Amino acid sequence: MIEFRSVTKKFPDGTVAVRDFDLVIPSRKTTVFVGSSGSGKTTLLRMINRMVDPTSGSISIDGEDTSTLEPVALRRRIGYVMQNSGLLPHFKVIENVATVPILNGVPRRRAHQEALTLLDTVGLDRSLADRYPSQLSGGQQQRVGVARGLAADPNILLMDEPFGAVDPIVRAELQVELIRLQRDLDKTVVFVTHDIDEAFLLGDQVVILETGGLIAQVGSPSEIMAAPTNEFVANFIGAERGKRALSIRSTGSGDILVDSSGRAAGILVAPTAPDAE
Amino acid sequence: MNFLIEAFQFIFDPANWGGSGGIGVRLVEHLWVSLLVVVIAAAIAIPVGFLIGHTGTGKSIAVIGSGGVRALPTLGLVTVIALSVGIGLTAPIIALVVLAIPSILAGAYSGFEAIDRRTIDAARAVGRTEWQIVTAVELPLGLPLLMGGLRSASLQVISTATLAAYVGGGGLGGFLFTGLRTNDYPQMLAGSILVIALALLSEGFFAILERVTVPAGVRAGLPTSVRARPSRSRATAA
Amino acid sequence: MNWVANNLPLILQRTGDHLAIAVPAIILSFVISIPIGWVAHHYRWSRGTVLTSIGLLYAIPSLPLFIVIPLIVGTGLRSPVNLVVGLTLYGIALMVRSTADALGSVDSNVEQSASAVGFSAWQRFWRVDLPLAGPVLLAGIRVVSVSTVSLTTVGAVIGISSLGSLFTDGFQRNITAEIYTGIVMTILVALVLDLILVMIGRALMPWIGAVSPRRAARNARAARRSGEVTA
Ligand SMILES: Nc1ncnc2c1ncn2[C@@H]1O[C@H](COP(=O)(O)OP(=O)(O)O)[C@@H](O)[C@H]1O
Ligand SMILES: [Mg+2]
């Protein structure tokens, strides 16, 4: 469990990126911060692994105040995946994945061995192990980034718009993959995105942010969709534009779902999985 | 430190200033040779550099040529020319011109490169002729880097003109070589201090000149600003 | 050609003397420039001060500097150490800026991600910043190498033996071939050292050859820019 208690971050230049922020991030669930650019998502994420230190307030992980922990050691036990993968261009794929274990003192051979297994886990062919990141496609690089984030077997995985720079088809693949991974691994994932659809797809808990790290609404996707707390949220999730306000219309060949402007948006099917939202 | 005191005594002794081998004459010789060399080198390098910069062709030849000159030992050049044309001023002047050209050339064409191509396209689009583009856009905007090129060339020339005295070409180097022959370290030191002072003065002079000649808008702004852009500024400071 | 054939041992000897001065100076300027360049890069307030004072160093003419150095270092006027010290100072004058630029050329995204996964500041410098600054550092040290090899000859006029001695000797004894030999050998030494640096660069930076065409072009541009150091 990660807990923010009245956290404020004011940068030296006077920008208040986050103001008086309170939140509990449950363990073994995916929490998504979603908000437009500049709303303080990255700052929030980086305060968890102390890349950024709060100006006031406190953050604790499983009851331990992070300000009492050594930042470098803390970061080594928290996975971090960022946009454009953030891979080290001068390390081979395998070395990138094994970076953190090696920093933690795991013998190189063993670290590489485990890194190979991780490549399997994220769905990458082992033959890519000896390539440099620049020799991979964007989607493959992101997978390596995820593998690196998982390498130290952290309880917490921080992901900052990890799929922001890949094309929509690859992004969809990666999202599905992440859902599968999360089902197997059961990490506490904190995911940042500006894409509300991605947030609803991945999040158990979704946090909609306004500028200044102001929480507009927290809840499960269905809670938020069913009852946006204010106009900002409604706007943000697209309810206003009618994108999500669907209704059933019967056509000659069967029933379909249409949005508020009458465009076809989907079909109605019976729930297949018991845990479907 | 005694040597240093003696060297300064040498410099400030009025008896050492007059006469044909005095500080006054040699200072003037040194400056005159340096000026002449920079003017000749500029007369060759600036038009060529502008041509390269404006047309964008021939740059790789210029870069390779400049690199080659950098590897060429000036002392070797001076002595070998002196053996064929005789001792005196001619050999050092030729050698120093060769030495000075690359800096000025680089300053001239990189000045052009630093200009945002869109500025030039815009000038073309509003109907300026090629000549107008050169004089009204490229020259003023490329000036800072050209000045930088001239500055580093002058510095190199003033420094290296010290070698002129080795082949009987006069200048402040004379004190160095006289001192060397007669085992008079204070005199060598005095000559060295004078050359160093002259070089630093030249740097200061150009620093002021750059302030005066470079349009304020250019200095304050954009990609041409020599000092604001670390990646490019080497072309000037070397 | 006759002169060369008759004087091979002399040429070799002078080449050896030359290398014994130039190589330590090149290595020393590289090593010393790294911490100074790091300070200039890391502390923004220091950048202007450091780079300007280092730039002034470069404004000091070489021959006079070689004459002043014994006064400061306490060596004899004709000691090769003078030359090594002086050339190292020049090398530093060029290399500090290259180093600051090189460290500045490292993608800040990569630096941040290295910190994020738990590199300590020290580890990040050695394993991430320094290697990634490599291409620009290499371009810088190549320039230093060429100019050092060329400047080493100047010491000959104050009697410090190097390939430059072939110039002074040839001039005094009116042997043009000797001077030409000196010029050719100086350039050859510069070329060989340059080649060695390039090969060291290749060996130490295997990822460079592997980059995508777009990034390769960007690296080449950065390298070329700092290659203009003395251009
Ligand atoms: N290092 C910094 N210094 C000053 N301001 C910053 C810094 N990092 C972020 N900010 C500012 O804080 C605000 C939030 O930034 P960020 O957390 O990056 O937002 P997001 O990730 O949601 O786009 C923005 O206004 C941004 O400009
Ligand atoms: Mg962000």
Side-chain angles (χ1 to χ4, degrees):
Chain A
M1 186 178 77
I2 305 170
E3 195 173 355
F4 287 79
R5 252 165 290 158
S6 54
V7 169
T8 295
K9 176 63 194 180
K10 185 174 176 181
F11 283 106
D13 66 356
T15 315
V16 180
V18 174
R19 193 190 301 272
D20 205 17
F21 185 85
D22 285 288
L23 183 74
V24 174
I25 295 174
S27 295
R28 300 178 191 288
K29 297 266 185 258
T30 301
T31 295
V32 180
F33 289 142
V34 59
S36 43
S37 177
S39 53
K41 308 181 293 291
T42 297
T43 306
L44 282 169
L45 200 66
R46 291 186 170 184
M47 284 194 286
I48 297 174
N49 74 349
R50 293 199 60 191
M51 296 262 287
V52 173
D53 278 324
T55 315
S56 64
S58 70
I59 296 159
S60 61
I61 297 177
D62 296 334
E64 231 180 342
D65 187 338
T66 55
S67 66
T68 63
L69 302 172
E70 211 277 308
V72 171
L74 176 69
R75 288 173 204 156
R76 287 185 193 168
R77 47 175 257 233
I78 296 179
Y80 196 99
V81 185
M82 60 198 272
Q83 192 172 3
N84 294 321
S85 74
L87 298 176
L88 301 177
H90 59 311
F91 282 18
K92 291 177 177 165
V93 164
I94 190 81
E95 294 164 336
N96 262 294
V97 176
T99 305
V100 186
I102 288 175
L103 286 174
N104 279 332
V106 174
R108 185 170 294 269
R109 274 184 63 112
R110 212 183 87 207
H112 280 199
Q113 211 51 50
E114 287 167 2
L116 282 176
T117 321
L118 273 169
L119 290 186
D120 304 337
T121 309
V122 298
L124 278 175
D125 198 290
R126 287 187 177 208
S127 67
L128 300 177
D130 281 328
R131 296 225 190 145
Y132 288 101
S134 57
Q135 297 169 310
L136 302 183
S137 72
Q140 288 171 327
Q141 290 183 19
Q142 263 350 107
R143 284 173 195 261
V144 178
V146 173
R148 181 176 71 169
L150 294 171
D153 196 18
N155 293 325
I156 299 171
L157 189 58
L158 308 180
M159 309 183 84
D160 192 352
E161 308 206 21
F163 311 143
V166 294
D167 64 68
I169 294 173
V170 176
R171 187 181 314 148
E173 259 172 51
L174 291 169
Q175 288 165 344
V176 171
E177 196 82 13
L178 183 65
I179 293 169
R180 176 187 68 78
L181 266 177
Q182 173 62 350
R183 206 165 41 218
D184 296 349
L185 299 173
D186 238 11
K187 306 281 183 197
T188 304
V189 177
V190 188
F191 192 102
V192 159
T193 180
H194 57 253
D195 176 355
I196 186 68
D197 293 321
E198 187 169 64
F200 283 162
L201 179 66
L202 301 175
D204 300 309
Q205 168 175 270
V206 173
V207 183
I208 299 181
L209 295 170
E210 289 182 58
T211 308
L214 210 72
I215 297 183
Q217 187 168 5
V218 186
S220 71
S222 44
E223 282 164 4
I224 294 175
M225 263 187 277
T229 44
N230 57 28
E231 200 170 332
F232 175 84
V233 176
N235 246 321
F236 196 81
I237 66 173
E240 287 287 279
R241 276 167 290 135
K243 201 171 120 217
R244 291 187 200 280
L246 305 179
S247 51
I248 302 173
R249 183 199 288 168
S250 302
T251 68
S253 41
D255 288 350
I256 61 162
L257 290 172
V258 293
D259 65 17
S260 61
S261 52
R263 264 179 242 278
I267 55 168
L268 202 58
V269 295
T272 49
D275 62 347
E277 286 278 357
Chain B
M1 281 301 115
N2 272 345
F3 286 130
L4 199 59
I5 293 166
E6 284 179 57
F8 277 109
Q9 275 168 353
F10 182 94
I11 293 173
F12 291 114
D13 184 352
N16 290 329
W17 278 80
S20 62
I23 296 176
V25 170
R26 283 181 170 167
L27 191 64
V28 171
E29 276 173 355
H30 203 106
L31 277 173
W32 165 241
V33 169
S34 304
L35 188 68
L36 190 67
V37 165
V38 172
V39 168
I40 297 174
I44 300 169
I46 293 179
V48 176
F50 279 9
L51 208 65
I52 293 173
H54 183 69
T55 60
T57 53
K59 189 181 158 208
S60 48
I61 298 175
V63 170
I64 293 169
S66 303
V69 170
R70 203 184 297 144
L72 196 64
T74 315
L75 181 63
L77 202 58
V78 171
T79 49
V80 84
I81 298 172
L83 279 192
S84 64
V85 303
I87 59 171
L89 264 181
T90 320
I93 286 178
I94 297 174
L96 290 173
V97 167
V98 173
L99 179 74
I101 284 178
S103 302
I104 304 178
L105 195 63
Y109 68 68
S110 55
F112 275 71
E113 264 183 3
I115 302 169
D116 192 338
R117 293 319 298 178
R118 282 170 303 182
T119 312
I120 293 173
D121 288 344
R124 214 165 261 145
V126 299
R128 292 194 196 240
T129 65
E130 289 304 298
W131 177 246
Q132 283 170 331
I133 289 172
V134 171
T135 54
V137 179
E138 293 178 332
L139 256 180
L141 290 180
L143 203 57
L145 284 168
L146 174 60
M147 292 294 294
L150 282 171
R151 175 177 176 169
S152 55
S154 304
L155 179 66
Q156 275 174 298
V157 169
I158 288 176
S159 306
T160 319
T162 319
L163 289 178
Y166 189 74
V167 294
L172 290 169
F175 297 112
L176 268 69
F177 294 111
T178 311
L180 197 62
R181 264 196 310 280
T182 58
N183 247 328
D184 182 355
Y185 186 60
Q187 186 177 345
M188 294 175 73
L189 210 51
S192 304
I193 292 168
L194 286 169
V195 181
I196 291 173
L198 201 60
L200 293 180
L201 279 178
S202 149
E203 279 290 275
F205 169 74
F206 271 98
I208 293 169
L209 201 64
E210 275 174 16
R211 297 230 126 230
V212 177
T213 56
V214 175
V218 175
R219 216 188 304 134
L222 306 177
T224 41
S225 174
V226 182
R227 311 227 154 241
R229 288 277 302 250
S231 52
R232 290 203 190 268
S233 54
R234 279 314 303 176
T236 67
Chain C
M1 276 294 103
N2 241 341
W3 186 89
V4 174
N6 294 334
N7 291 277
L8 275 179
L10 176 75
I11 297 171
L12 275 182
Q13 165 103 50
R14 295 289 179 256
T15 308
D17 295 344
H18 201 99
L19 287 172
I21 293 165
V23 172
I26 295 167
I27 294 174
L28 282 173
S29 27
F30 184 79
V31 173
I32 297 172
S33 297
I34 295 227
I36 306 177
W38 181 85
V39 169
H41 163 71
H42 200 74
Y43 301 102
R44 214 186 299 167
W45 52 265
S46 74
R47 185 180 172 96
T49 323
V50 171
L51 295 186
T52 308
S53 37
I54 297 274
L56 269 184
L57 194 63
Y58 198 73
I60 298 175
S62 57
L63 182 53
L65 181 67
F66 299 151
I67 289 170
V68 173
I69 281 175
L71 194 68
I72 300 161
V73 185
T75 44
L77 179 61
R78 290 181 171 77
S79 159
V81 176
N82 291 337
L83 222 51
V84 175
V85 173
L87 293 170
T88 302
L89 289 176
Y90 281 120
I92 291 173
L94 292 174
M95 200 58 203
V96 164
R97 188 180 281 267
S98 292
T99 307
D101 286 352
L103 292 172
S105 74
V106 179
D107 186 349
S108 66
N109 244 329
V110 173
E111 292 178 316
Q112 295 201 351
S113 103
S115 293
V117 301
F119 281 86
S120 68
W122 182 252
Q123 289 168 328
R124 201 189 85 180
F125 176 77
W126 288 105
R127 300 197 205 167
V128 179
D129 292 341
L130 199 60
L132 290 179
V136 182
L137 284 176
L138 177 64
I141 199 63
R142 288 176 67 189
V143 172
V144 170
S145 166
V146 171
S147 82
T148 302
V149 167
S150 167
L151 271 180
T152 302
T153 60
V154 173
V157 300
I158 51 174
I160 301 171
S161 177
S162 71
L163 285 169
S165 309
L166 301 179
F167 305 151
T168 51
D169 191 62
F171 178 67
Q172 274 147 24
R173 293 161 57 200
N174 207 351
I175 310 172
T176 314
E178 184 171 3
I179 302 182
Y180 275 123
T181 307
I183 294 177
V184 170
M185 283 307 294
T186 309
I187 294 175
L188 208 64
V189 167
L191 281 178
V192 169
L193 288 188
D194 191 56
L195 204 70
I196 292 175
L197 287 174
V198 170
M199 285 186 328
I200 293 177
R202 274 215 196 118
L204 293 181
M205 299 183 280
W207 68 94
I208 297 296
V211 300
S212 64
R214 203 186 60 222
R215 197 170 311 170
R218 201 174 62 210
N219 285 343
R221 265 203 308 280
R224 218 179 308 121
R225 258 189 262 121
S226 73
E228 279 171 6
V229 165
T230 56

